[in-house]
Amino acid sequence: MASSSHRRRPQPDRDFAWRPVRGPLLAVTAVAVVALVVTLAVAFRPGTAAGAAGPERAVAGSASRAAPGTATDPATPTPPTSPEPSTAAPKPSASKRTTPSASPSTAPSRRAESSTTHAASVATTTAPAAGRIRPGTTYQGVATSYDVGNGDGACSYGPTSDVMTAAMNTADYETAKACGAYVSVRAASGTAITVRITNECPAPCAVGQLDLSRQAFAKLAPLSAGRIQITWSLLSPAVSDTVSIRYKTGSTQYWCGIQAIGHRNPLARLEVRTGSGWLALPRTEYNYFLSDQGTGCGHDIRLTDVYGEQLTVPALAIRPDATQQTTLQFTRH
């Protein structure tokens, strides 16, 4: 007979499970199921501590993507979007609005600029207008001689008894700009003479060369020398005559040629007065200034020398080939 300690105790679960009456067991099971459902419903109800963390993190994530580059979501930043170009005209900044272009502070500078421009224009009109032959400059060349005949030449001054004249090489003649110039000519011996340019010496006369009248050449060297080295420079000598004006043959109110004679200094420009101001006339190689359309013919004449000095000759009658003397003369330099 086994001891009580080893006697097998009955197993109520098994015995109960196989009992034919199951009512109490079903009731217990139903209660347990209901309790489980209630527990789950409470656990997953919105707003509880367990269910709130997830939605809040999702909202935070959405916010971080909406603001790319912020510290809330550094792992997945969204690249910033380039701004769309604006088609509207840019508005001036505040600094520009406080300094308007038409303000009183800027207006005087513009007026000053306008005045400066006008002054420059006036200065250009009255500034020295020397061409190749400039005051205060010494030129080197050679001197030759020729027979001047009656003294007339390319400058169209007409016959003269003055034999102290010369013909200027074509380059320095400069379309008659040298006409009437007084030039000091010095030989290697140191002897110097003064001649007036009345003619042009074409090729083979070289730049710097003067073809002197025989009488003038003979004062520097024997005619047999034929060709000598010289230096020469522009003069502004004392003269007894005043400037004269001559209208060319055929001049009328519809076409005219004007010439100035007896000027102390070389003439740089000749202008005639018109209804709209002064008109500069083109110079010919034969030393007349032409008005092809007759503009200014018979009106006031303004002369400018190579030093920039201007003389205004009152209107003269158009008298072709007549030399009409004025009371004017350029200043001596």
Side-chain angles (χ1 to χ4, degrees):
M1 175 176 168
S3 63
S4 58
S5 59
H6 290 95
R7 188 180 55 202
R8 189 169 68 98
R9 296 175 62 181
Q11 301 177 8
D13 292 340
R14 283 184 184 177
D15 293 343
F16 181 80
W18 290 98
R19 290 176 186 173
V21 181
R22 297 187 242 181
L25 179 60
L26 291 175
V28 173
T29 302
V31 171
V33 171
V34 170
L36 178 61
V37 171
V38 171
T39 301
L40 292 176
V42 172
F44 290 99
R45 185 181 62 186
T48 62
E56 287 180 358
R57 282 195 296 269
V59 171
S62 299
S64 67
R65 285 192 294 271
T70 61
T72 55
D73 191 13
T76 57
T78 302
T81 304
S82 300
E84 292 294 330
S86 174
T87 58
K91 296 181 179 179
S93 63
S95 62
K96 291 183 180 179
R97 287 197 298 272
T98 57
T99 310
S101 59
S103 65
S105 61
T106 58
S109 64
R110 290 181 179 177
R111 286 196 293 269
E113 180 181 356
S114 177
S115 299
T116 301
T117 303
H118 178 68
S121 176
V122 172
T124 300
T125 302
T126 58
R132 290 180 59 88
I133 304 176
R134 296 179 176 275
T137 303
T138 299
Y139 300 88
Q140 295 184 344
V142 297
T144 52
S145 65
Y146 79 109
D147 184 0
V148 297
N150 64 2
D152 196 7
C155 292
S156 305
Y157 289 138
T160 178
S161 59
D162 181 12
V163 294
M164 296 300 290
T165 60
M168 181 66 74
N169 67 85
T170 298
D172 294 323
Y173 183 78
E174 199 175 3
T175 314
K177 199 166 189 177
C179 285
Y182 289 89
V183 175
S184 173
V185 185
R186 184 178 297 273
S189 63
T191 304
I193 61 172
T194 298
V195 295
R196 186 167 64 102
I197 305 301
T198 60
N199 208 347
E200 177 185 7
C201 182
C205 277
V207 175
Q209 183 172 346
L210 293 177
D211 205 18
L212 305 176
S213 68
R214 290 180 180 178
Q215 293 85 343
F217 187 94
K219 292 182 179 294
L220 298 176
L223 290 177
S224 59
R227 185 183 185 95
I228 60 173
Q229 294 293 321
I230 60 168
T231 58
W232 55 274
S233 58
L234 183 65
L235 288 180
S236 178
V239 294
S240 57
D241 292 338
T242 56
V243 176
S244 297
I245 299 295
R246 181 163 59 194
Y247 277 94
K248 195 178 186 310
T249 304
S251 293
T252 67
Q253 60 179 326
Y254 306 108
W255 178 95
C256 67
I258 307 173
Q259 181 185 57
I261 305 171
H263 41 83
R264 185 198 312 270
N265 306 318
L267 197 62
R269 185 167 54 252
L270 185 149
E271 301 165 281
V272 291
R273 190 188 294 277
T274 68
S276 57
W278 291 102
L279 172 67
L281 299 183
R283 193 174 200 165
T284 66
E285 293 184 353
Y286 52 89
N287 198 30
Y288 272 90
F289 295 82
L290 300 185
S291 176
D292 287 338
Q293 304 300 320
T295 304
C297 294
H299 295 181
D300 294 352
I301 299 171
R302 186 165 69 180
L303 308 175
T304 304
D305 69 4
V306 296
Y307 295 94
E309 184 180 359
Q310 295 182 329
L311 303 176
T312 300
V313 179
L316 298 172
I318 302 175
R319 296 164 53 192
D321 292 328
T323 301
Q324 303 184 63
Q325 194 166 9
T326 73
T327 60
L328 305 173
Q329 184 56 271
F330 290 112
T331 303
R332 185 180 183 186
H333 293 268

